[in-house]
Amino acid sequence: MSLLQVSELTFCYEGSFDNIFEDMSFSVDTDWKLGFIGRNGKGKTTLLNLLLGKYDYKGSISTDRIFDYFPYLIEDSKMDMTVDELSEEWKPGVENWRILCEINNMGVDPEILYRPIRTLSHGERTKAMLAVLFSGENEFLLVDEPTNHLDKDGRELVKKYLNTKKGFILVSHDRDLLDAVCDHMLVLNRESVEVVSGNFSSWWENKQKADSFAIAENEKHMKEIGKLRGAADRAGRWADKNENTKIGYDPVKEHDRCISSRPYIGAKTKKMQSRVKNFEKRINREIEEKEGLLNDIEKVDDLKLIPLTHHKKCLVECRDFSLCYKDSSDNRNILDSISFQLMQGDILFLNGENGCGKSSLIKAIINNPGDTSNMVMSGKLETASGLVISYINQNTSHLRGSLKGYAKKHDLDYSIFLTLLSKLDMSRVQFEKNIEEYSEGQKKKVLIAASLLTSAHIYIWDEPLNYIDVFSRMQIESLIESFKPTMIVVEHDVRFREKLATKVLDL
C-alpha cells in the first residue's frame, strides 16, 4: 500500500489577499479510485497543480508515486502532429505498445493515434490522451473533468474505461460518472476537507443526514443559550436591585428591618451574582459547542426566473427540416428531415453524438443572420412572432472585462446580477476581478445568471453545465422544476436530463 499524504498545506496566488488552502491535511491510498468534488473556485485544479509541483506552497506533500495529468496541453504550433509523435513529450519513456493496448481496451480504432491532432474531435482527443495517461507504471494519475464536451456515447466509453482502472484522482461534476467509477471521495467542503469511502450518492446521502443533524443541534444550542441568557438577565437585575437596598430604608414601610439586616442582604446578593457567573459560563460553553456546526452546511439558495407567456401555444414548429452548409465538401445534410413541435412549458433536450447538428439546429431557430448565412435549409422551421429568446452559448472565450461592464453591455440590473451570482456561490472577492481571471465554472455561472435575469419565452441553453459544480447543478434543477420555463437544452449530464426533460429529440 502506498499513500499520498498532504500536511498543513497553505497556498495563495501571488497578489491575492485570500488563501486558497489554509493548513489543509489529508491522506489517501494511491490505489483508490478517488472522486474529487467541491464548489467552483474552491481550488480543485489548483490542488492538482500543487501535486504536480507547479507552484510554491507551505506545508508538505509526500508520496512515492509519480503524478501525471489529464488533459495534456497542446500548443497551437503542434496541432498538425499526431498523438503518437507527441506521446514521448507527454509521457517520457512511454512504450508505444502500451498505448496501443490501452486504445484496444477502450474498443477504439488505433488509427486516431496517427492522425493530426487538428483533425480529431473532442471525444477522439480525450480517448487518445487517456490511453497515453494510463500507459505508465507506478503512477498516481490526476484526471481533470474528462467528460466535458463529450456526447452520451463518449461519456459511456470513458465511464466503462475508468471503471477498469485504479490509482487516480477524478475531478468531475458528473454524478453518473462519479457513482459508476469511484470507490472513495475527496471533498472540499466550505471550511474543511474530508475523505470518505463510497461514491458520490452514498457521500451525498450521509452529507444530508449530517447537515440535518448539525442544523438540529444548532437550533437546540440556540434555544438553550436563549433560556440561559434570560435567566442570567433576571438574576442580574434582581441582584442589582437587592444590592441597592443595603444602604438606607424607610422605617415606616420596612418596619421589620433594622441595620443588622445589611450583611444578610449582601450575602444574598453575592450568592445571586455567583449564580449569574455560572449562567455566563454555561452560555459560553454552549456557544463553544455550537461553533463550527454550520460551517460546512451546503445551503442552496432558491433561484428565481420570470419567463414570459406567449399568446400562441406552439412556439417552434419544425417539419421535414433539413440543413447543410454551403462550404461542405460532400454537401451532406447535417440535419435530415427532422420534425418536432415546441409547446409552451416543454423542456426539450436535444440528444445525439458530437457533430450531429444540435448546435446548428439551435442557430437555425435563433436565426441570427451572422450564424445562418452559410446554411442551406429546406422544409419548415417556424417560430412564433415576437418571440424573445434567452441563449447560453457553450463557448466562454468571449467573456472579458468587469462584471459591471458585462451587466451594462447586456442591460442587466447590476445589484440583482451580483445577488444572483452570490446565490450561485460566487464570493464577493470574485466580483472585484475581471471575468477572464475566473475558472471555467465561474464563467459559466456568469452566463447562467445573465440568462436567468432575462425574461424570455424560450430559454435555449447549449451545454450550460460544463464545469459547473454538483451543488449548483442541483440548484438549477430545482429552479427549472419550480418555474417550468419553456426550454431547448443540449446537455449530456444524464441525471439532469432524466429529471427535467418533457421531450427528447434524438438526432
Side-chain angles (χ1 to χ4, degrees):
M1 183 180 75
S2 176
L3 294 178
L4 163 64
Q5 293 182 308
V6 176
S7 300
E8 298 182 350
L9 178 67
T10 298
F11 173 78
C12 74
Y13 286 105
E14 188 176 346
S16 176
F17 297 104
D18 54 325
N19 286 335
I20 304 294
F21 306 117
E22 190 162 353
D23 294 329
M24 183 175 75
S25 299
F26 64 88
S27 177
V28 300
D29 191 319
T30 55
D31 278 338
W32 287 349
K33 305 175 180 186
L34 188 65
F36 186 17
I37 62 171
R39 289 276 189 177
N40 292 131
K42 286 295 290 183
K44 298 182 294 297
T45 300
T46 299
L47 179 59
L48 299 190
N49 284 325
L50 290 173
L51 296 179
L52 291 168
K54 289 189 176 181
Y55 307 123
D56 293 328
Y57 57 86
K58 294 179 181 178
S60 67
I61 297 173
S62 62
T63 184
D64 60 356
R65 296 294 173 123
I66 300 167
F67 294 112
D68 198 7
Y69 176 80
F70 168 97
Y72 295 111
L73 179 64
I74 309 172
E75 298 170 11
D76 289 339
S77 60
K78 297 180 180 178
M79 291 295 286
D80 290 319
M81 295 177 69
T82 67
V83 172
D84 183 59
E85 291 169 332
L86 288 169
S87 60
E88 179 64 31
E89 179 183 318
W90 291 346
K91 192 181 286 288
V94 67
E95 298 179 76
N96 185 262
W97 67 268
R98 288 184 176 276
I99 301 174
L100 287 169
C101 285
E102 295 301 327
I103 280 286
N104 287 326
N105 289 341
M106 282 189 212
V108 176
D109 192 331
E111 62 93 21
I112 66 171
L113 299 176
Y114 306 103
R115 281 166 44 199
I117 295 285
R118 194 182 302 280
T119 67
L120 300 181
S121 67
H122 277 296
E124 289 170 332
R125 292 181 195 181
T126 294
K127 295 162 194 173
M129 286 184 183
L130 285 175
V132 175
L133 186 77
F134 281 93
S135 61
E137 292 183 294
N138 195 37
E139 294 180 330
F140 192 48
L141 303 175
L142 315 177
V143 188
D144 197 355
E145 305 202 44
T147 56
N148 278 340
H149 305 295
L150 293 190
D151 57 31
K152 178 184 175 183
D153 292 340
R155 287 175 180 237
E156 281 297 313
L157 187 147
V158 169
K159 181 170 73 175
K160 289 177 182 177
Y161 179 69
L162 289 179
N163 200 29
T164 66
K165 300 299 180 182
K166 64 178 183 178
F168 58 80
I169 293 179
L170 170 64
V171 177
S172 179
H173 303 301
D174 187 325
R175 291 158 286 180
D176 186 56
L177 179 65
L178 291 169
D179 278 350
V181 168
C182 300
D183 55 23
H184 287 77
M185 297 296 297
L186 172 63
V187 185
L188 292 181
N189 291 314
R190 292 185 179 277
E191 298 291 337
S192 66
V193 60
E194 65 175 323
V195 178
V196 295
S197 177
N199 59 19
F200 172 80
S201 289
S202 62
W203 170 79
W204 181 241
E205 183 180 347
N206 290 330
K207 171 70 173 169
Q208 288 177 304
K209 290 178 182 176
D211 284 0
S212 296
F213 176 76
I215 291 169
E217 282 293 293
N218 184 70
E219 289 175 355
K220 184 181 78 174
H221 285 302
M222 290 299 292
K223 286 179 182 177
E224 185 63 22
I225 290 167
K227 289 178 183 177
L228 290 170
R229 279 185 172 148
D233 183 59
R234 288 193 299 274
R237 281 189 281 111
W238 189 95
D240 291 341
K241 183 180 178 181
N242 206 50
E243 180 71 7
N244 291 336
T245 65
K246 283 202 306 184
I247 300 174
Y249 64 94
D250 188 338
V252 175
K253 292 181 179 179
E254 300 174 89
H255 56 84
D256 58 342
R257 178 178 163 183
C258 63
I259 193 70
S260 60
S261 62
R262 183 176 173 183
Y264 167 75
I265 293 171
K268 199 171 182 182
T269 301
K270 187 176 180 181
K271 187 176 181 181
M272 190 58 70
Q273 288 171 336
S274 176
R275 186 178 295 179
V276 171
K277 287 181 181 179
N278 287 332
F279 279 136
E280 289 173 349
K281 286 179 182 177
R282 287 178 61 188
I283 288 170
N284 290 333
R285 190 162 61 245
E286 287 288 340
I287 290 172
E288 284 179 12
E289 291 177 13
K290 175 183 172 293
E291 281 179 355
L293 280 173
L294 304 184
N295 283 354
D296 285 329
I297 297 291
E298 280 300 342
K299 183 178 180 297
V300 177
D301 291 325
D302 291 334
L303 302 174
K304 290 185 179 180
L305 186 64
I306 310 175
L308 298 176
T309 302
H310 201 277
H311 64 276
K312 290 187 70 174
K313 288 186 177 180
C314 181
L315 302 184
V316 180
E317 184 173 6
C318 183
R319 189 181 304 155
D320 296 326
F321 179 72
S322 298
L323 182 153
C324 69
Y325 286 93
K326 292 177 183 176
D327 56 4
S328 174
S329 58
D330 56 3
N331 292 320
R332 180 178 64 87
N333 282 340
I334 300 296
L335 299 169
D336 195 10
S337 299
I338 64 168
S339 299
F340 70 91
Q341 282 187 321
L342 183 74
M343 312 298 287
Q344 283 203 66
D346 283 346
I347 301 175
L348 173 66
F349 274 72
L350 305 182
N351 188 38
E353 62 185 29
N354 291 337
C356 70
K358 299 185 293 293
S359 295
S360 296
L361 177 58
I362 286 173
K363 289 176 182 177
I365 292 171
I366 296 173
N367 197 24
N368 184 333
D371 292 328
T372 58
S373 59
N374 195 34
M375 293 180 180
V376 178
M377 295 176 272
S378 62
K380 181 180 181 180
L381 178 61
E382 290 184 356
T383 58
S385 60
L387 204 62
V388 179
I389 295 174
S390 177
Y391 173 55
I392 293 180
N393 194 324
Q394 59 179 274
N395 185 16
T396 62
S397 61
H398 62 284
L399 295 175
R400 291 282 187 277
S402 67
L403 286 175
K404 194 166 189 175
Y406 181 88
K408 185 176 182 180
K409 180 180 177 181
H410 295 273
D411 197 24
L412 304 173
D413 185 297
Y414 182 55
S415 60
I416 298 176
F417 185 47
L418 295 187
T419 300
L420 193 50
L421 287 173
S422 294
K423 288 189 174 186
L424 286 166
D425 207 57
M426 288 264 285
S427 66
R428 291 184 178 276
V429 175
Q430 300 300 323
F431 297 165
E432 305 302 319
K433 299 178 182 178
N434 284 336
I435 301 175
E436 56 266 32
E437 298 177 48
Y438 290 0
S439 69
E440 283 300 316
Q442 290 169 331
K443 290 178 182 177
K444 281 287 188 179
K445 287 182 178 181
V446 169
L447 295 178
I448 289 172
S451 181
L452 295 181
L453 280 179
T454 305
S455 293
H457 297 110
I458 303 178
Y459 293 84
I460 300 181
W461 291 0
D462 193 355
E463 298 195 28
L465 300 186
N466 278 347
Y467 305 103
I468 292 286
D469 62 73
V470 172
F471 310 105
S472 296
R473 290 183 184 215
M474 292 188 283
Q475 186 181 18
I476 293 165
E477 281 176 7
S478 178
L479 165 79
I480 295 172
E481 279 186 313
S482 298
F483 289 88
K484 295 180 172 54
T486 306
M487 300 188 77
I488 297 176
V489 184
V490 177
E491 180 50 57
H492 301 297
D493 185 321
V494 176
R495 302 279 176 88
F496 192 76
R497 184 172 67 244
E498 287 176 349
K499 194 164 187 178
L500 298 176
T502 63
K503 291 181 178 179
V504 177
L505 178 63
D506 289 306
L507 299 175

